[in-house]
Each structure stands twice: as C-alpha cells, then as structure tokens.
Amino acid sequence: PADVALPPGYRAEVAARGLTFPTAVTFDEAGNLYVIEAGYSYGEIFLPPRLLRIRPGEEPEPVLTADKNGPWTHVEYHNGYFYIAEGGQIEGGRILRVSPQGEVQPLVENLPGYGDHHTNGVIIGPDGYLYFGQGTATNSGVVGKDNYQFGWLQRFPDFHDIPCQDITLTGQNFQTDDFLSENGGKHRTGAFVPFGTTTTKGQIIEGELPCSGAVMRVPLQGGPVELVAWGFRNPYGLAFNQDGQLFVADNGYDDRGSRPVWGVGDYLWKVEEGKWYGWPDFTGALPLTIETFTPDGSQELQFLLSEHPNKPPEPAASLGVHSSSDGMDFSRNATFGYEGQAFIAQFGDMSPGVGKVMAPVGYRVVRVNVDNGIITEFAANYGKENG
C-alpha cells in the first residue's frame, strides 16, 4: 500500500493477497466482498477461473472453480446472483449466472471471444437488461501473423471479425507468410474474412448477432442478443452513471499485424444507442488515413469499408496511448467524493515493443469528469517494479 500514491485524505489497504490474475470485485447485499480470477493471460497461460469470497483475516474461499474457458473479465452481483463475463478462449464467450452456492447457468453462449479480445464488462442496466461488451478478433480488422503469435489462430484458423450490420468492403488485401502451413509460401487476406481469404471491391459482408467490437444486451433471464452500439475495438469497461447514461472504456489500436496503427490512445465513450464508433477505420472520430497513424516504413493506411454507417461520435475523454484503460465505475457516494465522475483502472504497459510506449504508462486509476473530458490521476502505483 505504501507504493500507491493517493490524494490527501485517502489511504490504500490490503483486502486480499495471493490472488492470480484478479480482474474484478463485487459486493453482495450484506456488504461481503467477492473477487474473480481471470484464469487466462496473454502468453497462453491457462488456469481455472475462480469466484472467491473474501473475508478479513481469512484465506479466500472458493465459491466456484470453472473449466479453462477464461479470461473471466467482470463480475456483477444482483438480486441474489453473480453475473460473470467469460472471455471464451476455448469454447467461445459466455455470460454466466452463478448462485451463491456455485451453481452455474449460462445465459448467453457462443459469443465471438476466441480472438485477441474477449467477452467483457457485464453489468445490469437501469432498464433491467444485462449489458456486456464484446472485443474484436483482431487489431484492426485483418487476421495476420500477430494473431498466430497470440495463440488463438492455431486453435481456430477460420475465426475472424464479424460485423454487426452489413458492410461493403474496399477490397484491400494484405500479404503475409503462410505460417499455418508447413510448406511456407505467402497468403493474401482481406478484412472480416478468415486468414488466407481474399476480398474484392464492393464485396458485402453480412452482419450478424452476436458480433465483434460491440456492446450488446439480453434480458436478465436470458434471451435473444440485442445490439446497443458497435464499432469499438475492445469495449472492456462498462458503467452507467447516476443519470442512467451508459459509458464504455475502449482499448485503442496497436502498432502490429498486417494493418498496424501508430500512436492511438484509449477512449471513454458516451454511448448512443444504434451508433457506430469508428472501428476499423477511425479512432476517436479521426480517420486512420491521416498520416500520423501510419507507422514508419508501413503502407499508408486506407479505409477497409467503402461506406461508413455514420460519422463516428467524439469521445467523452481521450485516455493514454496503450494505457489499457479497462474496468470502470462511477462514484455515487458523497462521503467518498467526486460524485458523478468516472474512475477507470489502467492496466498499463512497460514494453516499447508495441511501437508506441517510450516509458511506462498506466499502472494507476484515473478519475474523469465526463462533462468536460478532464482526466486526473487518482491512485498511482509507484512501486519499484514499475520503474
């Protein structure tokens, strides 16, 4: 706790130790604390995801230990049940309803969570629906060598991004080594299609539900998936403010793969139902065709879509480049302070290997005034491990 810098009047305390990949916490009606362990990490580390009950001075008590289909990315307690977003690296994404006794009921299954990004951020809306985010399979719309390095392409060679509505392509194709074949050679791959599949100008890709890069919802008891908004890259953190407005923390593009994008931050979005937010052709309402976003020595970025569903909205706030701005919530407590402001956990990055990070970023919690987009550091980890 001494390594965590906080504003005057606040202090950090240890609630639990010895956890592996903890990703979210929630509280039941009695104020008891629960935490989930993801069960998966990039680098192809697979462990059983777990839901744990935390009691002061005691070892974490498992409520549920699940099969290896992580990562578990968020948990929400509501009216006697836990709702868990299961990422789906093995069997596809799911939304689980879990009783306090550890009994599991899948409410939604077969979500497209096999790829780079997963099924995220399950929350209960003021309308009584269950909302969740679904990340994209790829960095910027095209399956390539980076997805092979992530590990999922070997398991699911036909997997790719799925649009939420019909789209028309410009027909761009990208050449890479055929790393799935023992014979080598080259492959050309288009957008929104499996690796090694080409596309043509004017080709229409039919939209489906569930889809990639979207916020969706279902009735609390389960049912057909409904689209809320799309055109996100990795809508990880979801939260409603005190006025019932939905906000989403979204991870931006990386400088990698067949269509690398340079210097793009993460965003906080105020979600308007039915809107498209720009992925894979815009970032923060700016077109990727601006020269700034093309990495040195790379082919100039062009649009993948010949028509865009709408002009992308402006973000509510622009967060740090590769800060990995993830879980979020709003302060609703006058005693805690900053009522109505968003608090966003930034996982952070220390690696210059992504092509954008010159020094460590993230490793902190920021608060955001959503009325003006001003971002202020709230809690920062200045421990030795983070330089």
Side-chain angles (χ1 to χ4, degrees), residues 21-93:
F21 307 147
T23 49
V25 300
T26 192
F27 296 86
D28 65 16
E29 60 275 300
N32 297 307
L33 172 63
Y34 297 82
V35 63
I36 54 172
E37 294 179 326
Y40 171 81
S41 174
Y42 292 126
E44 294 293 90
I45 301 172
F46 287 93
L47 299 170
R50 298 199 300 171
L51 171 65
L52 304 169
R53 183 182 293 110
I54 305 298
R55 291 192 172 101
E58 299 182 14
E59 290 293 315
E61 176 188 352
V63 175
L64 173 64
T65 300
D67 294 332
K68 296 178 182 179
N69 192 39
W72 281 5
T73 57
H74 195 75
V75 61
E76 185 97 344
Y77 182 87
H78 179 78
N79 286 349
Y81 289 93
F82 301 94
Y83 295 86
I84 297 175
E86 182 172 82
Q89 273 288 292
I90 299 297
E91 298 177 357

Side-chain angles (χ1 to χ4, degrees), residues 222-283:
V225 172
E226 300 177 8
L227 178 64
V228 178
W230 62 304
F232 306 104
R233 181 174 174 275
N234 189 26
Y236 191 101
L238 279 67
F240 286 91
N241 70 359
Q242 67 275 17
D243 299 323
Q245 173 63 54
L246 177 62
F247 287 81
V248 169
D250 186 22
N251 293 175
Y253 304 87
D254 291 336
D255 180 2
R256 62 174 170 87
S258 299
R259 189 171 179 257
V261 183
W262 190 87
V264 171
D266 295 349
Y267 297 103
L268 177 66
W269 298 106
K270 180 179 180 180
V271 177
E272 300 177 54
E273 191 162 330
K275 283 291 180 69
W276 173 77
Y277 281 77
W279 188 92
D281 282 346
F282 288 77
T283 178

Side-chain angles (χ1 to χ4, degrees), residues 281-298:
D281 282 346
F282 288 77
T283 178
L286 297 173
L288 292 186
T289 51
I290 294 175
E291 184 178 356
T292 302
F293 300 128
T294 300
D296 289 343
S298 297

Side-chain angles (χ1 to χ4, degrees), residues 96-360:
L96 308 177
R97 182 165 66 184
V98 180
S99 75
Q101 294 74 40
E103 299 166 340
V104 180
Q105 177 190 1
L107 295 181
V108 187
E109 298 184 270
N110 300 316
L111 296 168
Y114 304 106
D116 290 2
H117 312 110
H118 312 110
T119 303
N120 304 318
V122 59
I123 57 171
I124 312 301
D127 55 3
Y129 274 68
L130 189 153
Y131 288 70
F132 62 93
Q134 177 60 59
T136 58
T138 65
N139 176 43
S140 60
V142 182
V143 181
K145 185 176 182 179
D146 55 329
N147 310 121
Y148 179 83
Q149 293 167 335
F150 267 68
W152 64 260
L153 188 56
Q154 297 94 306
R155 294 191 294 273
F156 307 104
D158 294 328
F159 187 57
H160 56 87
D161 287 299
I162 303 167
C164 304
Q165 298 174 5
D166 292 358
I167 57 172
T168 304
L169 301 179
T170 58
Q172 281 196 82
N173 294 290
F174 300 82
Q175 182 168 291
T176 61
D177 293 333
D178 182 5
F179 38 83
L180 290 180
S181 170
E182 295 180 357
N183 300 323
K186 299 289 184 179
H187 258 326
R188 292 178 61 80
T189 305
F192 292 91
V193 292
F195 178 71
T197 304
T198 57
T199 61
T200 57
K201 183 177 180 179
Q203 181 175 340
I204 295 174
I205 304 292
E206 293 184 358
E208 300 178 26
L209 287 178
C211 51
S212 307
V215 173
M216 293 170 277
R217 67 185 173 206
V218 295
L220 197 55
Q221 68 275 15
V225 172
E226 300 177 8
L227 178 64
V228 178
W230 62 304
F232 306 104
R233 181 174 174 275
N234 189 26
Y236 191 101
L238 279 67
F240 286 91
N241 70 359
Q242 67 275 17
D243 299 323
Q245 173 63 54
L246 177 62
F247 287 81
V248 169
D250 186 22
N251 293 175
Y253 304 87
D254 291 336
D255 180 2
R256 62 174 170 87
S258 299
R259 189 171 179 257
V261 183
W262 190 87
V264 171
D266 295 349
Y267 297 103
L268 177 66
W269 298 106
K270 180 179 180 180
V271 177
E272 300 177 54
E273 191 162 330
K275 283 291 180 69
W276 173 77
Y277 281 77
W279 188 92
D281 282 346
F282 288 77
T283 178
L286 297 173
L288 292 186
T289 51
I290 294 175
E291 184 178 356
T292 302
F293 300 128
T294 300
D296 289 343
S298 297
Q299 180 180 347
E300 185 176 323
L301 290 164
Q302 300 176 35
F303 288 149
L304 298 180
L305 311 186
S306 63
E307 301 173 6
H308 297 117
N310 54 259
K311 181 180 178 181
E314 296 284 342
S318 296
L319 302 155
V321 173
H322 222 254
S323 60
S324 189
S325 297
D326 298 326
M328 65 171 291
D329 206 350
F330 283 87
S331 172
R332 301 174 177 84
N333 189 314
T335 302
F336 181 82
Y338 304 112
E339 268 189 291
Q341 295 197 25
F343 285 73
I344 304 175
Q346 296 184 330
F347 182 84
D349 197 334
M350 297 180 67
S351 170
V354 296
K356 316 186 278 192
V357 177
M358 307 304 175

Side-chain angles (χ1 to χ4, degrees), residues 247 268 315-319 341 344 366-376:
F247 287 81
L268 177 66
S318 296
L319 302 155
Q341 295 197 25
I344 304 175
V366 297
R367 59 179 176 87
V368 182
N369 185 327
V370 297
D371 294 326
N372 56 25
I374 293 176
I375 301 165
T376 306

